[in-house]
Amino acid sequence: LGYLPISMSVSGFLYDRRFDDWDEERMGGRLSFGYRITPDLSISAGVTGQNVAITDPRDATEPELAAVLGDNGLWSGEVSLKHDTRNTPIQASEGHYFEFSFEEVFGDYEYSRFELEGRQYWLLNQRADGSGKQTVSFSSRLGFSGKDTPIFENFFAGGYATMRGFEFRGASPVGTTPAQVEVGGRFQWLNTLEYMFPLTADDAFAGVAFVDFGTVEKNIEINAD
């Protein structure tokens, strides 16, 4: 907004997704405002309204899935705090990123949701001209959601963005029916440790060694089984 450290965002969205266990269409909009406290620290608050239509269930006898079939109306208010000292938001080699968010949801469901995300980057080595960076990074995501959370808002894990080596959502809790519907959970703790290094002199290709570990649980607990 001019030269003030204040931002405003207005957006609308329409998603039409085909998951393994159901089809999901989301339509809604969001209004948010942000304030930059310092160059590295910012806070934002927003309101989102959406309708989530769940259709074509793979197993309609799964209780958690049967309970949300049809249209579901959600309204939510969210506040988040971010601290970002990375030298670049794309393939950072130094600094850290931290975000805390709290969301209160109401409408057809009423629950609270907390999420924490942290990423730290260390530069191990680079060439004299600043190219050929070798970087170690660690990231962690922690999430809690209330008891009234519907299945389509649960946490899921599995796939390139969460836990590599698993199919999409394949590291998530499953339901009680023989079809083993991926129902997700109200608690997540996901971590990644990576080492990135150049493979070619022009940095066009890089290699990454990584370890992903963590869990998604139906309830707020860590179950060793």
Side-chain angles (χ1 to χ4, degrees), residues 34-130:
Y35 179 74
R36 191 176 65 180
I37 302 170
T38 71
D40 299 330
L41 182 64
S42 62
I43 189 171
S44 64
V47 177
T48 301
Q50 60 180 317
N51 182 75
V52 185
I54 304 297
T55 57
D56 196 22
R58 186 166 64 90
D59 182 2
T61 64
E62 172 58 48
E64 291 187 59
L65 182 54
V68 302
L69 292 178
D71 291 327
N72 303 270
L74 295 180
W75 290 89
S76 65
E78 179 185 349
V79 61
S80 67
L81 182 69
K82 298 179 183 179
H83 192 251
D84 189 355
T85 65
R86 295 173 296 175
N87 56 344
T88 173
I90 301 175
Q91 290 189 354
S93 58
E94 293 179 285
H96 70 259
Y97 175 88
F98 172 82
E99 180 177 359
F100 166 79
S101 64
F102 169 75
E103 184 179 15
E104 185 66 34
V105 180
F106 52 96
D108 290 342
Y109 306 91
E110 296 184 6
Y111 60 93
S112 300
R113 189 182 188 96
F114 299 86
E115 292 188 67
L116 283 170
E117 180 177 3
R119 304 178 216 158
Q120 180 67 53
Y121 302 86
W122 297 274
L123 178 62
L124 299 183
N125 196 14
Q126 63 179 347
R127 302 189 187 101
D129 61 357

Side-chain angles (χ1 to χ4, degrees), residues 15-32:
Y15 299 114
D16 193 3
R17 298 183 172 112
R18 300 288 184 267
F19 295 114
D20 289 341
D21 296 310
W22 67 80
D23 293 348
E24 179 179 309
E25 181 182 274
R26 292 176 182 249
M27 182 172 63
R30 187 171 191 269
L31 171 66
S32 65

